[in-house]
Amino acid sequence: MNYTILAIESSCDETAAAVYSSTHGMLSNHLYSQAFLHTPFGGVLPEVASRSHLEKMPIIIQQALDTAGCTLNDIDVIAVTHKPGLAGSLLVGVCFAKSLAWATNKKLIGVNHLEGHAFSAQIENDIPFPYLCITASGGHTSLYLVHDFGVYDVLGQTVDDAAGEAFDKIAKLINLGYPGGPIIEQYAAAVDFQDFFSYPRTKKSSFDFSFSGLKTAVLYDLVKRNAYILETKQFTQASNILLQQQVASSLLVCISDIFIDKITYALKQFPQVKAVAFVGGVACNKFIKRKLQALCLQKNIPFFAPSPQYCTDNAGMIAFVGHYKAHKGEFSDLSLDILR
Ligand code: KG4
Ligand code: ZN
């Protein structure tokens, strides 16, 4: 059976819609990013996010249909992110999806946002199973052993902050703005991705991640360095920028080392693994990608990361999961609720 799926994603600060077809693949993938609305606050303001979703959702859905060259009549299934995320934001997407499904008598599928990320590298690549998948985003950091579409074990997760959250919080600490990941990468590039401050790495022989200690270590280190700068009256605009670059670079190297350690440990534990995938917003980071690619090359194992449009939050990945769920007959009914 062929399906054409319209997907809706609104779990955080991106209003997104996409159309995926069994016969033609991804037909459209549209997005409205609210990031600029939240930048002045250094993080996402939930009520601002919900209101913006409410305003932009019909426009983005129409754009996704137009680009795909179809109307609602051509759609068989409405897929929607229903967990996890900001409650108010999820509610807007789920309400739109349920209303559309009810009014047009279409099938409905609730999709787990994290499953969307975990399979996002499959949209553009044929990845052999089983593969290891590191998902690193602003809200989540997990390691999966993926056996098949929709079939995976969660090997480890962050016990506190997510990797993207560490970039965002530390960027805020050194006055670089939100979202932190892209600007940290830019500042780190200016000093050649060197490790200046050797921030602490987490335990190697574990699948779980922890980033809040890293944040505290950066904070204490900064307090010490700033006290020294004040004492020796060395503060200038240039020295401040250099310090921001050195923190950014040391942080990036530290986080990439943590990922390298996790993959190395997991490959040892699961020799049957045939590939490694790196997904989520943090997978936009070219430096970390290069490091992981080099590791996989050395281990003689293929490495995959989605193109940036499928790394950060997007509806394409939700449509893709919706599509294989439709084939498995995993439909939801109109009682579909959100789960934070
Ligand atoms: O997947 P995503 O759009 O949203 C969540 O599901 O959370 O990820 C957003 C996160 C933010 O924390 C952002 O700082 C991070 O991805 N990010 C990056 C880069 N681009 C985005 N982190 C590191 N390097 C980047 N180039
Ligand atoms: Zn996400």
Side-chain angles (χ1 to χ4, degrees), residues 208-222:
D208 283 330
F209 299 85
S210 166
F211 295 101
S212 78
L214 174 57
K215 185 184 61 194
T216 313
V218 174
L219 178 62
Y220 276 115
D221 189 65
L222 268 176

Side-chain angles (χ1 to χ4, degrees), residues 11-14 113 117 136-140 163-165 167-168 178-183 185 252 280-286 288 311-313:
S11 62
C12 190
D13 61 346
E14 256 99 32
H113 180 83
H117 277 304
S137 69
H140 307 274
E165 197 177 355
F167 282 121
D168 295 339
Y178 171 86
I183 187 131
E185 183 171 17
L252 187 48
V282 179
C284 288
N285 194 291
K286 294 193 195 77
I288 305 181
C311 285
T312 44
D313 286 350

Side-chain angles (χ1 to χ4, degrees), residues 8-300:
I8 293 174
E9 153 68 42
S10 67
S11 62
C12 190
D13 61 346
E14 256 99 32
T15 311
V19 177
Y20 186 90
S21 124
S22 301
T23 45
H24 295 88
M26 201 67 72
L27 295 177
S28 64
N29 185 34
H30 278 264
L31 180 129
Y32 173 80
S33 175
Q34 312 170 351
F36 75 99
L37 290 177
H38 306 289
T39 301
F41 307 102
V44 178
L45 244 64
E47 187 180 333
V48 171
S50 311
R51 286 176 187 272
S52 177
H53 285 310
L54 203 53
E55 184 191 335
K56 301 295 182 195
M57 189 58 84
I59 302 166
I60 297 299
I61 291 176
Q62 190 60 57
Q63 283 177 358
L65 290 171
D66 290 347
T67 303
C70 58
T71 68
L72 270 180
N73 289 335
D74 304 306
I75 301 295
D76 305 301
V77 180
I78 317 259
V80 62
T81 303
H82 77 118
K83 67 178 180 182
L86 298 170
S89 290
L90 288 168
L91 281 169
V92 175
V94 170
C95 261
F96 261 97
K98 283 169 77 166
S99 310
L100 278 177
W102 178 67
T104 58
N105 205 19
K106 314 268 183 216
K107 293 205 181 288
L108 178 71
I109 295 180
V111 174
N112 178 340
H113 180 83
L114 296 177
E115 193 167 322
H117 277 304
F119 289 90
S120 59
Q122 288 277 14
I123 299 173
E124 301 155 301
N125 306 285
D126 212 354
I127 309 181
F129 296 109
Y131 65 89
L132 274 180
C133 177
I134 285 203
T135 301
S137 69
H140 307 274
T141 303
S142 319
L143 184 65
Y144 302 105
L145 180 58
V146 183
H147 302 285
D148 203 343
F149 291 106
V151 185
Y152 53 94
D153 297 318
V154 183
L155 300 179
Q157 320 201 43
T158 179
V159 294
D160 40 56
D161 291 352
E165 197 177 355
F167 282 121
D168 295 339
K169 286 182 173 168
I170 293 168
K172 193 174 175 183
L173 209 65
I174 55 173
N175 297 317
L176 291 184
Y178 171 86
I183 187 131
I184 293 264
E185 183 171 17
Q186 198 186 315
Y187 270 58
V191 284
D192 268 342
F193 304 103
Q194 290 179 60
D195 187 9
F196 296 91
F197 304 143
S198 300
Y199 296 134
R201 275 60 172 160
T202 38
K203 215 169 49 195
K204 290 188 179 181
S205 52
S206 153
F207 291 129
D208 283 330
F209 299 85
S210 166
F211 295 101
S212 78
L214 174 57
K215 185 184 61 194
T216 313
V218 174
L219 178 62
Y220 276 115
D221 189 65
L222 268 176
V223 169
K224 235 174 39 197
R225 281 176 206 285
N226 282 328
Y228 178 76
I229 288 169
L230 282 177
E231 204 180 288
T232 54
K233 301 193 173 49
Q234 285 179 357
F235 182 84
T236 61
Q237 187 66 14
S239 71
N240 186 43
I241 294 174
L242 181 63
L243 183 60
Q244 287 172 311
Q245 291 168 337
Q246 291 177 333
V247 172
S249 189
S250 307
L251 174 71
L252 187 48
V253 176
C254 178
I255 291 185
S256 74
D257 280 354
I258 292 171
F259 288 159
I260 286 172
D261 286 344
K262 295 292 165 198
I263 293 178
T264 308
Y265 180 60
L267 288 177
K268 238 185 241 156
Q269 303 296 312
F270 300 102
Q272 73 273 32
V273 161
K274 295 203 179 96
V276 172
F278 178 40
V279 303
V282 179
C284 288
N285 194 291
K286 294 193 195 77
F287 174 78
I288 305 181
K289 263 195 298 200
R290 274 204 307 275
K291 287 285 186 185
L292 299 186
Q293 201 151 25
L295 171 75
C296 290
L297 197 67
Q298 185 200 332
K299 305 262 177 210
N300 203 17

